[in-house]
Structure formats: C-alpha cells, structure tokens
Amino acid sequence: TQNRMRVKRLYFADGEYGYDAARLATEDGPGRRRLFEIARHCHALREVVAGGSTRLLGDPMEVTLLEMARQAPGATYPRRDEIAFDSDRKRFSALHATPDGQVLYCKGALEAILPLCTAVETRDGAIVLTAAGRERFRAAESALAQDGMRVLAFALRAVPADAPRGEWESGLTLAGLVGLEDPVRPEVPDAAGACRTAGIKVIMVTGDHPQTGLAVA
C-alpha cells in the first residue's frame, strides 16, 4: 500500500546511496553484498503457508528488510542460535552455519552496535574502523534521522566453534546503515488535531532516534 514501510537510503563506508538492491549487490563488490547477507539472516520472522501462498509473520520492519535482501543474489544458511533483541541491548544477533564456518549476523541501533565494531566493510573488503570512520557513521545516522527515517546498523563476524557465547558480539565488522521510511498513517494528523481541539495534550513516545521522532512530529 502507499503507506507501507520501505527502504529508502543506504550508507556504506564510502558514502550514501539511494536504494537499488540489484545494482548495489552485484556491481559494487563484496562489501556491498555483506549488508544484504546480514539482512537475509538476521531477523525473527516466521514463514507460514496459508491459502496456497507463503507469508512472512513478524515485525513489519523485518519483513521489509528481508524482502530487500531477497532482491539480491545469495544463499540462506541454517541458523544455529540467536541472541534476542530487548530494549536494553537494542540489537538482535543470529548465529548461522555457512560454508566458511559460523557467522554471527547482527542488526540494531548504531549506538548499540558501533562500540562492538573494530572493522568496516569497503568495496575491496574489511579495513580497520578508525575514530574518523566512526564519526562519519554517526553523522550519517543523524542525517538520515533528520529526514524522518528509521535507521538500523548491520554488522557481522566469523565465530570460532569454541568461542564463548559472551564473546560472540565483539570484534564485529560494520557493513552499513539502512534508512527506512515509515509513513505516518493518514488518519493520524486529523486524530492529533481533534485531540488538540478538545484540549488533550498529545505526547509521542518512540524508540527511534530523537531526530527521527522530531522529523515525524
């Protein structure tokens, strides 16, 4: 529908791009494909078959991200474990068995993921994530949020078979940011106006970045 959530912008180590899954996943090197690989695996959705068709059940944002990932080529690997999202962690991680060994895929708020990262994906592969690189990602997150987008960070790492669970979410490689547009439902402005007319104070509560909330308001 017109008001459906959609991916609008992507941010990588070398800058911001409009969303074009096919081009970014196939023409711009393996560093681009990592973001789609993470989105394909790092979710808590369930697939169900009803009425002869397959549907995804779960968070609409995760549905949008998985649909984005499926537009790019790539295999889906079996899940071995996961670390659930909660409001304190602000991130979700999934451990998968790949042909190259176990890989942990992680997504969530940049503030929760960036401190865990030591490297960043580029067109030519992963490099050390410097202080300047961290600041560029923070600035990109702020810019996307100011445009009213919900912003998620994506990261991953290879996990040795004997690695303790408490160390899985460390030494991550940052793959990029995704900016999602979540349009306000058409009935909201009239409802808010009716409340103000009736003398009811309207307060917006959000788990998004403060700049996103301000832009939406």
Side-chain angles (χ1 to χ4, degrees):
T1 63
Q2 184 177 1
N3 288 337
R4 192 176 185 277
M5 187 182 299
R6 66 187 183 95
V7 175
K8 190 174 182 182
R9 307 291 291 176
L10 304 175
Y11 184 84
F12 299 100
D14 64 338
E16 185 179 331
Y17 291 79
Y19 170 54
D20 182 341
R23 181 178 68 81
L24 290 169
T26 60
E27 297 179 7
D28 287 341
R32 294 286 184 267
R33 291 194 287 274
R34 284 297 200 180
L35 185 145
F36 296 96
E37 180 183 341
I38 298 164
R40 187 180 300 114
H41 293 91
C42 191
H43 60 81
L45 298 170
R46 291 190 305 114
E47 276 193 340
V48 298
V49 178
S53 61
T54 302
R55 294 177 54 206
L56 291 168
L57 295 183
D59 188 311
M61 180 174 65
E62 289 200 325
V63 171
T64 298
L65 290 169
L66 182 55
E67 289 175 346
M68 172 196 78
R70 286 178 171 177
Q71 291 184 49
T76 300
Y77 306 121
R79 181 168 300 186
R80 293 290 179 251
D81 207 339
E82 64 183 53
I83 306 175
F85 174 91
D86 64 42
S87 57
D88 293 324
R89 286 169 34 78
K90 297 182 180 179
R91 61 183 182 272
F92 174 84
S93 293
L95 184 71
H96 287 254
T98 81
D100 298 320
Q102 294 188 135
V103 176
L104 186 82
Y105 301 106
C106 183
K107 78 167 185 288
L110 181 65
E111 66 183 88
I113 290 180
L114 192 59
L116 307 176
C117 295
T118 56
V120 61
E121 289 285 357
T122 71
R123 289 174 184 266
D124 302 316
I127 62 172
V128 172
L129 179 58
T130 64
R134 293 175 190 274
E135 284 306 311
R136 284 195 294 272
F137 272 90
R138 291 190 186 100
E141 178 197 35
S142 181
L144 293 170
Q146 286 177 17
D147 284 339
M149 281 177 262
R150 302 178 70 176
V151 186
L152 283 178
F154 291 74
L156 77 168
R157 67 160 293 196
V159 177
D162 59 350
R165 184 183 178 89
E167 297 179 4
W168 290 357
E169 294 179 319
S170 63
L172 301 180
T173 297
L174 184 61
L177 306 177
V178 175
L180 298 109
E181 185 179 57
D182 188 9
V184 175
R185 282 176 285 191
E187 66 271 20
V188 170
D190 286 344
C195 287
R196 285 194 294 269
T197 300
I200 300 171
K201 183 178 181 180
V202 178
I203 298 175
M204 184 175 74
V205 179
T206 177
D208 287 329
H209 190 285
Q211 293 289 350
T212 302
L214 181 62
V216 171

